[in-house]
Amino acid sequence: MDTRSSQTRERISSVIGSAICSLISAGKQVEKNALLAHLKISEAHAVDGMKKVYGAAIHLVKQSPPVKED
C-alpha cells in the first residue's frame, strides 16, 4: 500500500482516531497494546481495501516509539 498518498494517510489517521475514540468511550486506557488489539479486531472485520488500511495503521502504531509519561 502506498502510504505516501494524502488520501491513504487520511484513511490511516481516521481508523487510528476511531480506535482511540472507541477505547475512550469504553472507558479503557489509550495505550499502545490496547490500540493495536482494537485495530487488529477491526482489520479482521474489514472488507475490501480497508483491510490494507488497517494493516498499514497497525504497522504504523507498531513502529511508533513508546510514549514517556511525566
Side-chain angles (χ1 to χ4, degrees):
M1 167 170 263
D2 181 15
T3 57
R4 293 173 290 180
S5 80
S6 62
Q7 185 178 26
T8 301
R9 287 193 311 265
E10 285 179 27
R11 286 182 178 162
I12 293 168
S13 295
S14 177
V15 298
I16 292 172
S18 293
I20 291 170
C21 288
S22 293
L23 290 172
I24 292 170
S25 293
K28 297 181 180 179
Q29 291 239 340
V30 178
E31 57 186 22
K32 192 173 188 174
N33 289 335
L35 181 56
L36 285 169
H38 192 281
L39 290 170
K40 287 177 183 179
I41 291 168
S42 296
E43 178 188 35
H45 292 94
V47 294
D48 299 328
M50 287 305 291
K51 282 196 180 286
K52 290 183 180 180
V53 174
Y54 280 105
I58 290 165
H59 177 75
L60 182 67
V61 172
K62 281 183 178 178
Q63 300 304 315
S64 67
V67 177
K68 294 182 181 179
E69 295 183 24
D70 294 331

